[in-house]
Amino acid sequence: MFFHLTFKCWMHLLLFSLCFHNEPAACKPAWMTPQFPCDVTPSYNTSSVLFDCKGRNLDKVPHGITSNATELILSENYIKNISVDSFSKLQNLTRLDLGWANKDKQKDKLIIPADAFKNLTKLRSLRLSGNLLTEIPGNLPVGVEILELHNNKIMRLDNRSLAGLTNLTELWLSRNCYFWNPCKQSITVVDGSLAVMTKLKILDLSFNNLTEVPKGLPRSLNMLKLGSNQIQYISEEDFLGLTNVKSLHIQGNCPRCHNAPYPCVPCQNTSIGIHPNAFNSLTQLETLNMGGNSLTHLNPSWFERLRKLKQLFLSFNLLLNAITKEATFLRYLQKLEKMDISFNFASKCYPKTINLSEEFSNLVSLRTLHIEGLVFQDIGPQTLSPLYELKNLSALNLGTNFIIHSDSTIFEKFSHLKMIYLAENRLYPLPVRSLSSPLDGYNQELDLSISPLTTQHPQNPDYILKHGLIKQECFDSGRVIVLSSNNLFFITPKQFEHYGNISCLNLSGNGFSAALNGTEFSLLPNLTYLDLSFNKIDLAYDNAFKELKKLQVLDISHNSHYFTAFGVTHNLNFTQNLPVLRVLNMSHNLIDRLTTKHMHSKSLKELRFTHNYLGKIWKINDGSYKMLFTNLTNLTILDISSNSIANIPENVYDYLPRSLTKLLISKNRLTDFIWDKLQGFPQLETLDLSYNFLTNVTGSNSNVTHTLTLLDLRNNHIFELDNGFLKVAKSLQTLSLRNNKLTIINQSTFELWPESQIKTLLLQKNPFQCTCDSLYFILWIESTDVKIPSLTTAVTCDTPANRKGQALINFDIQECVNDSVAFLIYILTYSFVIAFMFVATVAHLFYWDASYVLHYMKAKIKGYRTLNSPDSAYDVFVTYDTSDPHVTEWVMRSLRVKLEEEGEKHLPLCLEERDWPPGVPLVDNLTQSIQYSRKTLFVLTENYVKTGVFRLAMYLAHQRLLDENVDVIVLLMLEPVLQHSHFLRLRRRLCGKSVVEWPRTAAAEPWFWQNLRSVVRVDNQLLYNKSYSKYFTNN
């Protein structure tokens, strides 16, 4: 016993010295410790220091921000108050971001005292958006140049609120009063109050329910945003003198409310009123946005002096007649480069065709023209004729017009066009031109009533269509034709006869269902990018795509129709017809069988094969498809995510391409992965095993690839990392273990990591156990340079209950060291003093009496014997929930060690998973274990007490009490269970010491183990209440 205590004392002293050596506060400033919640990024070139505290669940400005900080981001937290001293020592701060500083849904406004920013004399940028402020904070530093106040409740701008802001260059004050931030009134801007800001370049007052243009705007303005207000008239004086304005946004003041996705009130006169001379002063204007104003005409005088205009946005108006008839305003826009006249359709009208005004021919600088949503049936010879001679025109967007027929010969006249966008129309295959003829007899005034156009409305409140029309790789390849989402259900070569030298073709979403035979694209010999996704392609013939010798990218994803049909040929030999194919996308095809068992390509580098059924194809006992990807000899990227793979047969690993650099197997059902097989991929850099069912990660003793830099294991069920996990993956830089079941990471797991190049470790949302078992891991975190994102916000405790939700790094390691040592020394010294005083006093006063009592007690002690029956083969039989991995791990690694290996040596424990002979019935195993063990220890958890095994074991233990008059029951409560059980209450009254509970604090654990040893090694008769012990006799 003395040796045991001495060993523990030395261990505590060793841990104490280790913790003292690693104490961060002793040698590091607060911002360098792992406990500091912000990311600190110094810039050695500009001497700037950024403290990024965005989204860290902070309720106050953190302590430890150094005085040399130049940028501080505190947005998206739960800070309710800014104190006077919060920034008092940050004199070097140039940028402060307090946007949405309190994102609590039940929040009040952010409280900012008058002198909160008083000492920030170098502050240049201040962001205060989303804080429900009712006024601009006072005493702002005079040097502030950029002030952002979006999404507040500021209802008045006057000379007092803007006092001292003479150096402002940008004022962003939108969304303070509008439909999603209602105030039931308009913001008041006192006349002339903005004129004091003589350096102001950008002013944003959009979404504020303004009913008029503020008077006295600074003449220094370059950009003015007044969109989505309630301004119904713009007078001649509103923009007078603003000769420096280059960008003006007045969109959305009189919107078309027919199908608006927000509370919409139309203007009294339907459209916005603009004085003929309203824009006369704007001679430097380059961008003008008048979309969403229900305009029915365009006065040429508006544009007469806008000779430098480059971008004009006129979408969502009522301008169909204005752009198809005279349109004389276009004569003044010879420098215009981008124009958007989309969604200017006439209500309830579906004309046969429309013809753009001849005045469009004046737009000699035009590069991009968006003509979506004008709604007409045919592109006729005169529809686009004014555009034929525009040599700079490179992008023409005709999407969502419900066009039924287009004469492709027209596009021969656009020799300079790089992109022709005809998606979301109703185009039919060329041989079926007659399908449009029945429409000639339609009542054109009523046809639009059934059109899906009624669902169209700008998602962007700026009324500027954000045209992500095509993928960048497609656009970069050369000339682009987009025919997606039409009615081209079959294709003939003539379909593309007059489109010119096409490099990228998009035919997705057409319901195309023919079997490709190698002739369909014969007139497109230079095609390099082909998108056939969302169709019904039938890959029946070997010669499919054989005409496309220059094709580099092929997308046939979302073509599951024939792949799921029974008895249909699924031929993948087409890859041999494409000698320069680099990227092939076959995702979302639900492939579970193939006619072709091998794919062949010497050029393919990237294969996307997600959302299929490789799990069915790769059957363990069927090797037919094991070489499916083997002959893709230059493949570097293979994505087989979402393929319902529960197990990868061992021979499949051996036949995957050796050239892989990125292997993605996420969102499957993998429960195991053979890590040793990684040595077969000498170039592998990225391995993604996220969103599977892996439960543990075993180490590898083989030469695992030395090139692996990213390993993604997030969203699995990993509860254990093997010792020296991936110890030979020395090139690993990023390891993601977030969203797993890790409770403790042992020291041996990461002790070899200093040899690797790991830079980032993701551990968020694991149920960590904040006890002394995590001590070494916490010490490692404090000493390592590895970046652990969200360490103070998402790497949190799950147990014990009193620490749930707290940051693991904030666990006080002194609880594991100083308290225990101090308590042990206290007990030893106190016991020695008391014993010495007691012995001295008794020897002096009661020598003979004490001698008598001593001999009496000695006799009594010699009369008791512990129950070491020769028939007992085990000291204690431990019964527990073997289906719970956490309980099993605790029993095997903690309970067994404490009772078998530490302290006085006794007979071994009887453990089900270790000592039960296989093949023996459960009842026999239980009976023999209880009969041949001195004690039976029940490890109680909430799930275990509900099982039949628990009840059966308890019956058998009580049976021994009835048959032999021997009480062998000891209850160990890992969780608070059976609180209302009459049995447990009676047990506590009769033999309370035989019921032990797992302590709630780490400091009490040594005493728990000492008490448990005493209970299991002493006869229960000695533990009974004296009132009842007489009913038991020794056998």
Side-chain angles (χ1 to χ4, degrees):
M1 187 67 177
F2 176 79
F3 173 79
H4 175 66
L5 290 174
T6 303
F7 177 78
K8 289 192 68 179
C9 289
W10 278 107
M11 287 300 297
H12 281 295
L13 289 173
L14 180 62
L15 288 176
F16 175 76
S17 63
L18 183 62
C19 292
F20 179 82
H21 177 72
N22 287 276
E23 180 62 42
C27 56
K28 292 182 179 180
W31 67 271
M32 294 182 66
T33 65
Q35 289 83 0
F36 191 67
C38 310
D39 294 332
V40 184
T41 307
S43 176
Y44 301 103
N45 295 330
T46 60
S47 70
S48 64
V49 181
L50 169 64
F51 281 75
D52 187 355
C53 308
K54 179 180 179 181
R56 306 304 165 96
N57 297 332
L58 300 173
D59 56 7
K60 61 181 179 181
V61 179
H63 171 74
I65 300 174
T66 56
S67 59
N68 66 336
T70 58
E71 299 181 59
L72 175 58
I73 302 176
L74 289 166
S75 58
E76 299 181 23
N77 282 292
Y78 296 93
I79 302 173
K80 297 179 180 179
N81 296 286
I82 300 295
S83 70
V84 176
D85 299 326
S86 294
F87 310 118
S88 60
K89 298 180 181 179
L90 306 180
Q91 294 90 343
N92 291 302
L93 211 59
T94 60
R95 176 188 171 213
L96 176 59
D97 187 348
L98 288 168
W100 284 271
N102 181 14
K103 63 179 184 179
D104 188 350
K105 293 182 179 179
Q106 306 299 326
K107 68 178 180 179
D108 295 322
K109 71 174 183 178
L110 180 67
I111 299 175
I112 303 176
D115 295 329
F117 309 119
K118 180 180 180 181
N119 293 343
L120 305 182
T121 56
K122 296 182 180 180
L123 193 66
R124 296 294 178 265
S125 176
L126 177 60
R127 184 177 184 233
L128 293 168
S129 298
N131 288 308
L132 299 182
L133 300 177
T134 56
E135 61 181 3
I136 299 176
N139 295 332
L140 293 179
V142 294
V144 172
E145 298 175 355
I146 302 173
L147 180 59
E148 184 177 316
L149 292 161
H150 297 310
N151 295 88
N152 282 294
K153 296 284 186 179
I154 299 172
M155 302 305 299
R156 182 178 177 84
L157 295 179
D158 53 25
N159 292 327
R160 182 188 65 83
S161 62
L162 298 173
L165 299 178
T166 56
N167 288 307
L168 271 187
T169 60
E170 298 180 18
L171 177 58
W172 304 88
L173 211 148
S174 68
R175 291 178 170 83
N176 276 264
C177 179
Y178 73 116
F179 39 84
W180 301 134
N181 185 16
C183 61
K184 298 182 180 179
Q185 65 183 89
S186 64
I187 287 182
T188 300
V189 182
V190 176
D191 292 351
S193 59
L194 298 170
V196 298
M197 295 182 287
T198 56
K199 298 180 182 179
L200 195 65
K201 303 292 185 183
I202 299 175
L203 176 60
D204 185 358
L205 292 173
S206 55
F207 293 94
N208 284 318
N209 281 358
L210 292 175
T211 56
E212 62 180 3
V213 178
K215 300 295 188 294
L217 293 173
R219 294 176 179 267
S220 57
L221 282 177
N222 292 147
M223 176 186 290
L224 178 59
K225 305 186 74 171
L226 296 170
S228 298
N229 283 292
Q230 296 180 4
I231 300 172
Q232 299 193 27
Y233 184 73
I234 296 176
S235 70
E236 183 178 8
E237 294 80 18
D238 284 339
F239 302 133
L240 191 65
L242 301 182
T243 56
N244 294 308
V245 171
K246 293 184 177 181
S247 181
L248 176 62
H249 301 258
I250 55 174
Q251 74 283 352
N253 278 284
C254 288
R256 297 179 67 167
C257 292
H258 174 61
N259 57 343
Y262 54 84
C264 182
V265 179
C267 287
Q268 184 175 0
N269 297 323
T270 304
S271 66
I272 190 171
I274 302 176
H275 190 276
N277 300 325
F279 301 146
N280 281 0
S281 295
L282 307 178
T283 56
Q284 302 299 315
L285 198 66
E286 295 179 358
T287 300
L288 176 60
N289 187 350
M290 295 197 295
N293 280 314
S294 302
L295 293 168
T296 57
H297 74 284
L298 295 170
N299 193 326
S301 63
W302 297 344
F303 304 93
E304 188 173 353
R305 297 194 179 185
L306 305 184
R307 302 293 179 137
K308 295 185 178 181
L309 197 66
K310 293 182 179 180
Q311 298 187 80
L312 178 59
F313 301 99
L314 296 168
S315 61
F316 293 93
N317 284 293
L318 300 166
L319 296 172
L320 185 61
N321 288 332
I323 61 180
T324 57
K325 294 184 179 179
E326 292 185 1
T328 54
F329 72 97
L330 295 174
R331 297 175 184 177
Y332 307 108
L333 303 179
Q334 294 186 0
K335 291 188 178 181
L336 196 69
E337 297 178 359
K338 182 176 182 178
M339 187 176 188
D340 191 343
I341 52 175
S342 300
F343 295 98
N344 275 278
F345 60 91
S347 181
K348 298 183 180 180
C349 183
Y350 190 18
K352 178 69 175 177
T353 188
I354 62 169
N355 299 323
L356 292 180
S357 169
E358 290 296 330
E359 300 292 344
F360 274 88
S361 62
N362 293 307
L363 304 178
V364 293
S365 300
L366 193 65
R367 296 178 179 274
T368 302
L369 179 59
H370 295 292
I371 322 179
E372 286 191 78
L374 296 188
V375 186
F376 56 98
Q377 299 176 31
D378 292 350
I379 299 179
Q382 302 303 316
T383 300
L384 305 173
S385 60
L387 307 177
Y388 293 161
E389 300 303 321
L390 300 182
K391 304 301 182 182
N392 292 307
L393 187 62
S394 61
L396 179 60
N397 176 11
L398 289 162
T400 322
N401 276 299
F402 306 98
I403 299 168
I404 296 174
H405 175 255
S406 170
D407 187 352
S408 61
T409 59
I410 293 173
F411 296 103
E412 285 183 321
K413 301 175 183 180
F414 289 100
S415 58
H416 296 87
L417 267 184
K418 182 176 175 61
M419 183 192 75
I420 303 172
Y421 191 83
L422 286 165
E424 301 291 343
N425 283 293
R426 295 173 176 173
L427 293 173
Y428 286 93
L430 273 182
V432 199
R433 293 181 184 179
S434 60
L435 289 177
S436 62
S437 58
L439 295 172
D440 297 342
Y442 275 23
N443 182 344
Q444 296 180 356
E445 296 298 320
L446 300 175
D447 190 73
L448 192 58
S449 61
I450 60 171
S451 171
L453 185 63
T454 55
T455 64
Q456 294 289 340
H457 203 277
Q459 297 300 314
N460 189 313
D462 292 336
Y463 292 86
I464 300 175
L465 299 178
K466 302 299 184 183
H467 292 292
L469 301 180
I470 58 175
K471 296 179 181 179
Q472 187 63 40
E473 187 174 4
C474 171
F475 187 80
D476 293 340
S477 64
R479 195 176 196 192
V480 179
I481 302 295
V482 180
L483 293 166
S484 60
S485 300
N486 279 281
N487 294 320
L488 303 174
F489 48 84
F490 71 87
I491 296 174
T492 62
K494 291 185 179 181
Q495 191 79 45
F496 314 106
E497 187 173 6
H498 301 287
Y499 282 110
N501 188 17
I502 301 174
S503 296
C504 176
L505 175 63
N506 188 336
L507 289 169
S508 63
N510 276 287
F512 174 66
S513 59
L516 298 173
N517 58 21
T519 63
E520 291 82 4
F521 308 104
S522 57
L523 295 181
L524 304 175
N526 294 316
L527 197 65
T528 61
Y529 192 114
L530 177 59
D531 188 347
L532 291 171
S533 59
F534 294 94
N535 284 293
K536 302 177 183 179
I537 294 175
D538 183 4
L539 296 175
Y541 302 121
D542 287 343
N543 53 359
F545 304 115
K546 73 173 184 178
E547 71 275 31
L548 300 175
K549 299 301 181 183
K550 295 184 179 180
L551 192 67
Q552 297 182 28
V553 180
L554 175 60
D555 188 348
I556 54 173
S557 62
H558 296 275
N559 278 273
S560 61
H561 181 78
Y562 284 111
F563 281 110
T564 56
F566 183 75
V568 177
T569 300
H570 307 136
N571 192 338
L572 302 186
N573 286 329
F574 68 87
T575 55
Q576 300 180 63
N577 301 327
L578 304 171
V580 294
L581 186 66
R582 293 185 297 104
V583 180
L584 174 60
N585 189 353
M586 296 184 65
S587 300
H588 293 272
N589 284 321
L590 307 181
I591 298 172
D592 62 357
R593 70 184 72 88
L594 289 168
T595 307
T596 307
K597 302 298 192 296
H598 307 84
M599 296 179 67
H600 294 266
S601 177
K602 295 180 179 180
S603 61
L604 190 65
K605 291 186 175 296
E606 180 178 344
L607 174 60
R608 301 290 175 177
F609 205 82
T610 68
H611 294 87
N612 290 300
Y613 288 108
L614 280 175
K616 292 183 179 180
I617 291 177
W618 283 340
K619 296 177 181 177
I620 296 178
N621 297 323
D622 181 6
S624 303
Y625 295 93
K626 66 182 180 181
M627 297 180 67
L628 180 61
F629 305 127
T630 304
N631 295 315
L632 304 176
T633 53
N634 282 307
L635 194 68
T636 58
I637 300 175
L638 177 59
D639 189 352
I640 53 174
S641 303
S642 302
N643 268 275
S644 300
I645 303 172
N647 177 71
I648 301 178
E650 189 168 347
N651 57 1
V652 170
Y653 288 99
D654 298 331
Y655 288 107
L656 290 176
R658 306 291 95 181
S659 55
L660 286 178
T661 61
K662 183 181 291 186
L663 179 57
L664 311 176
I665 324 178
S666 66
K667 297 180 181 178
N668 283 289
R669 302 173 184 174
L670 287 174
T671 57
D672 190 23
F673 186 82
I674 306 178
W675 297 97
D676 287 341
K677 294 295 183 180
L678 290 179
Q679 63 182 322
F681 304 97
Q683 302 177 51
L684 190 65
E685 297 176 358
T686 300
L687 177 59
D688 185 354
L689 291 167
S690 60
Y691 294 92
N692 279 287
F693 296 94
L694 300 175
T695 56
N696 59 72
V697 181
T698 58
S700 174
N701 295 320
S702 63
N703 292 322
V704 176
T705 174
H706 290 275
T707 58
L708 192 66
T709 59
L710 170 62
L711 177 58
D712 192 347
L713 294 170
R714 71 184 187 274
N715 290 85
N716 278 281
H717 297 167
I718 298 170
F719 67 89
E720 180 183 20
L721 299 177
D722 198 20
N723 295 343
F725 164 56
L726 288 182
K727 58 185 178 182
V728 295
K730 296 181 180 180
S731 61
L732 190 64
Q733 296 183 13
T734 302
L735 173 61
S736 178
L737 290 166
R738 60 181 302 170
N739 286 86
N740 277 285
K741 306 294 182 182
L742 292 171
T743 57
I744 294 175
I745 298 181
N746 297 322
Q747 178 188 10
S748 58
T749 300
F750 52 81
E751 62 185 359
L752 296 176
W753 283 6
E755 298 180 9
S756 70
Q757 301 297 318
I758 190 165
K759 296 179 181 179
T760 305
L761 174 63
L762 293 93
L763 293 170
Q764 299 96 312
K765 297 184 180 180
N766 277 284
F768 284 110
Q769 178 180 328
C770 290
T771 63
C772 293
D773 292 333
S774 298
L775 174 63
Y776 281 107
F777 182 54
I778 295 174
L779 292 176
W780 177 82
I781 291 176
E782 293 185 345
S783 63
T784 186
D785 292 329
V786 175
K787 182 180 180 181
I788 305 178
S790 306
L791 179 61
T792 59
T793 55
V795 184
T796 57
C797 309
D798 188 67
T799 57
N802 61 337
R803 289 196 175 97
K804 187 177 181 66
Q806 298 179 13
L808 172 67
I809 192 64
N810 291 334
F811 174 68
D812 187 4
I813 60 177
Q814 302 300 326
E815 293 183 17
C816 306
V817 183
N818 290 358
D819 290 349
S820 300
V821 174
F823 185 73
L824 183 61
I825 295 174
Y826 167 77
I827 292 296
L828 291 175
T829 55
Y830 181 83
S831 301
F832 175 77
V833 172
I834 295 298
F836 178 80
M837 293 180 62
F838 178 77
V839 171
T841 302
V842 171
H844 181 70
L845 300 176
F846 307 104
Y847 176 77
W848 296 108
D849 298 289
S851 178
Y852 173 78
V853 171
L854 182 62
H855 285 83
Y856 178 80
M857 294 300 297
K858 185 177 180 181
K860 280 287 187 180
I861 292 173
K862 288 183 177 181
Y864 292 102
R865 296 289 186 272
T866 57
L867 189 60
N868 286 321
S869 172
D871 296 330
S872 297
Y874 299 102
D875 200 25
V876 180
F877 167 52
V878 183
T879 176
Y880 57 94
D881 188 0
T882 57
S883 64
D884 189 331
H886 299 295
V887 176
T888 301
E889 181 182 14
W890 183 83
V891 169
M892 298 302 293
R893 296 193 176 187
S894 297
L895 181 67
R896 182 190 63 78
V897 173
K898 295 293 183 181
L899 296 185
E900 269 191 356
E901 299 179 4
E902 296 183 8
E904 299 176 4
K905 303 300 181 182
H906 289 264
L907 294 174
L909 302 183
C910 179
L911 301 173
E912 173 183 339
E913 294 183 320
R914 184 186 68 180
D915 301 314
W916 279 13
V920 178
L922 173 65
V923 176
D924 292 347
N925 267 327
L926 276 177
T927 302
Q928 293 176 12
S929 297
I930 294 173
Q931 190 68 32
Y932 292 105
S933 300
R934 291 182 53 257
K935 292 289 185 71
T936 299
L937 177 62
F938 292 84
V939 181
L940 302 185
T941 58
E942 186 175 350
N943 292 329
Y944 182 52
V945 298
K946 299 176 182 178
T947 64
V949 175
F950 165 71
R951 291 194 294 271
L952 179 59
M954 188 61 71
Y955 291 152
L956 293 174
H958 277 93
Q959 188 64 39
R960 186 171 177 184
L961 175 62
L962 295 175
D963 294 344
E964 304 175 22
N965 202 25
V966 176
D967 185 1
V968 297
I969 298 174
V970 178
L971 304 179
L972 193 165
M973 303 179 68
L974 276 185
E975 297 175 356
V977 297
L978 302 176
Q979 297 300 305
H980 303 292
S981 169
H982 295 296
F983 164 74
L984 184 60
R985 292 179 180 178
L986 180 61
R987 186 77 187 176
R988 289 185 186 275
R989 182 176 293 276
L990 293 177
C991 189
K993 293 182 179 179
S994 66
V995 181
V996 292
E997 297 183 14
W998 178 252
R1000 296 185 178 181
T1001 62
E1005 290 184 17
W1007 303 104
F1008 164 79
W1009 292 115
Q1010 185 63 31
N1011 182 38
L1012 182 61
R1013 292 191 194 95
S1014 301
V1015 170
V1016 299
R1017 293 172 182 173
V1018 176
D1019 190 347
N1020 276 8
Q1021 180 180 348
L1022 301 179
L1023 303 177
Y1024 266 82
N1025 187 308
K1026 293 182 179 180
S1027 302
Y1028 307 104
S1029 60
K1030 62 185 178 179
Y1031 297 107
F1032 295 87
T1033 61
N1034 291 330
N1035 292 332

